[in-house]
Amino acid sequence: MPARLILFIGLALTAMGQTVLFAVLGPVVRDIGLSEISAGAIISASALVVVMVSPAWGRATDRVGRKPVFVFALAGFVVMSAAFGLVLQAGMAGLIAGPAAFIALVMARVVYALAIAGGQPSAAGYIADTSSEAERAGAMATIGGAFAIGAICGPALAFALAPLGVLAPIYGAAGLGLIWALVAVIALPEPQRPAAPDTQSPTLRPSDPRLVRLLIGIVCVFTAIAMLQQTMAFYVQDLGGLDAAGTARRTGLLIGTLAMANLGAFVAVARVKPPPDRLIVLGGILAAVGAAVLFLSTALPLLLCANLLMGAGFGAFLPGAQAKASLSVSKTDQGAAAGLVAAAMAAGYVIGPILGTGLYMYATSATFLLATVVTVTGLAFARVSGKAAPAQTA
């Protein structure tokens, strides 16, 4: 089985688990008796852990290899997804409530984040090891394409399994992850990587002038994404007066629409292989316009249109940013750079959920207006970051 296919499906499964959670968590948290901002805080806590540990996981892939880290991330996804589902189930059954339920949910997500944070850096490092500079942007679209497929399959899984129980999709995603973790153990080879230099190079840091502005831009864009994702279920429920199951199904449709546009953008990037800077500009503009349309949306057709635009925009921005980061550093720092990009993406999920849900409680439409402004800011930072330099020979 091709190695990139194994990486692709593994990342898609972890993304599927995440989008299932976005569709389910909002209404379930309300059923448990927690506030909207509690849901945002749960996601933000786990994202903060990813920010803290992703650079270390990236450096670990440069030292110990891509496969061990990737397999460990898949195993962590399986175990901790099931554990999070059990905690939610305990809350719905009344076994835990109030602060105890909140603390248990936060702790389950924190351990989940510790376990899965190495998945993206190991996959990005693997792809950098096995692609030429000319095809780097197209190759990095593999990662975004996997997330898009997962985002499509997640709502589909939620739609299909919701009749069995609102938490059934979480357990279903964990079961599929278990199967694929075993496939990765058996069939994923370790790629050939350049030998480390005799003299150890300084640790790659977020303040590196080659990356700092790009990383700030990624933080901004993913803050906007997190704001929109975390408030979408609440907005859908409040607009339609829906119950938990109905909200999960309607939100799944919108997230699936965004993911379809996301996937279309990734396929186009993989085929055309445009320069990273062009992708960053096009993606940022489309995403900002989509968020602005969402600000004006009060009915399903406009919500669908907004998600189409945002999906296409984010689908162009992400591989452009990943490729630009990869091409800006040496071959021996690919895992470290991928770890910093993953940390920047996760930083958006630290800020976005709390910012989005907190603002939503007081001014619903202002959440979407702020997401538009933050996206434009991210585009400006990423666009003015230093030009991607050719990867140095080890």
Side-chain angles (χ1 to χ4, degrees):
M1 182 179 294
R4 285 193 191 177
L5 180 61
I6 296 174
L7 297 173
F8 182 91
I9 295 178
L11 291 174
L13 287 172
T14 58
M16 182 174 69
Q18 188 77 353
T19 52
V20 162
L21 183 65
F22 282 130
V24 168
L25 184 60
V28 171
V29 161
R30 279 178 167 173
D31 282 354
I32 292 174
L34 300 176
S35 66
E36 291 91 339
I37 199 168
S38 296
I42 291 166
I43 300 299
S44 293
S46 63
L48 178 60
V49 174
V50 174
V51 172
M52 296 169 64
V53 302
S54 286
W57 275 122
R59 293 192 296 272
T61 69
D62 289 331
R63 293 195 308 270
V64 305
R66 315 301 189 198
K67 177 178 177 176
V69 175
F70 187 77
V71 169
F72 183 86
L74 277 179
F77 165 75
V78 172
V79 174
M80 293 315 302
S81 290
F84 190 75
L86 289 172
V87 175
L88 285 173
Q89 193 161 4
M92 294 178 70
L95 299 177
I96 53 175
F102 176 72
I103 292 170
L105 289 170
V106 168
M107 292 305 299
R109 277 308 275 189
V110 163
V111 179
Y112 171 94
L114 286 169
I116 62 96
Q120 183 178 322
S122 57
Y126 198 116
I127 290 170
D129 293 339
T130 56
S131 63
S132 67
E133 294 178 15
E135 66 174 357
R136 191 67 48 82
M140 287 297 179
T142 300
I143 296 175
F147 287 134
I149 286 289
I152 293 168
C153 294
L157 189 68
F159 186 88
L161 297 185
L164 301 178
V166 71
L167 299 180
I170 293 178
Y171 296 129
L176 293 173
L178 175 60
I179 295 171
W180 206 250
L182 295 174
V183 171
V185 169
I186 296 169
L188 182 65
E190 179 67 27
Q192 289 187 340
R193 291 181 290 126
D198 294 334
T199 58
Q200 188 173 4
S201 59
T203 300
L204 195 65
R205 298 186 181 281
S207 57
D208 189 297
R210 297 169 295 177
L211 297 176
V212 61
R213 292 183 182 87
L214 176 62
L215 294 175
I216 293 172
I218 293 171
V219 171
C220 290
V221 169
F222 276 82
T223 295
I225 294 173
M227 289 175 64
L228 298 170
Q229 286 180 324
Q230 196 58 48
T231 55
M232 189 68 68
F234 295 129
Y235 192 46
V236 167
Q237 186 172 40
D238 293 340
L239 277 179
L242 304 173
D243 60 12
T247 300
R249 293 166 77 93
R250 179 67 62 86
T251 304
L253 172 64
L254 293 174
I255 295 175
T257 299
L258 183 148
M260 287 294 292
N262 219 226
L263 179 61
F266 288 127
V267 170
V269 170
R271 290 187 176 182
V272 179
K273 300 179 178 66
D277 278 333
R278 189 175 301 171
L279 286 172
I280 288 170
V281 172
L282 176 62
I285 291 173
L286 287 175
V289 172
V293 172
L294 193 60
F295 168 67
L296 302 171
S297 299
T298 56
L300 183 60
L302 276 178
L303 290 173
L304 289 169
C305 178
N307 278 274
L308 278 170
L309 288 167
M310 291 187 299
F314 297 140
F317 181 90
L318 178 57
Q322 288 176 314
K324 189 167 186 175
S326 174
L327 293 171
S328 296
V329 302
S330 69
K331 291 182 179 180
T332 55
D333 279 332
Q334 291 299 314
L340 289 175
V341 170
M345 293 166 62
Y349 282 90
V350 175
I351 304 166
I354 290 181
L355 183 61
T357 53
L359 187 57
Y360 183 89
M361 293 173 66
Y362 300 102
T364 300
S365 59
T367 303
F368 309 130
L369 178 60
L370 181 59
T372 305
V373 174
V374 172
T375 302
V376 173
T377 303
L379 166 60
F381 270 102
R383 181 64 185 88
V384 300
S385 59
K387 291 186 176 180
Q392 301 168 15
T393 303

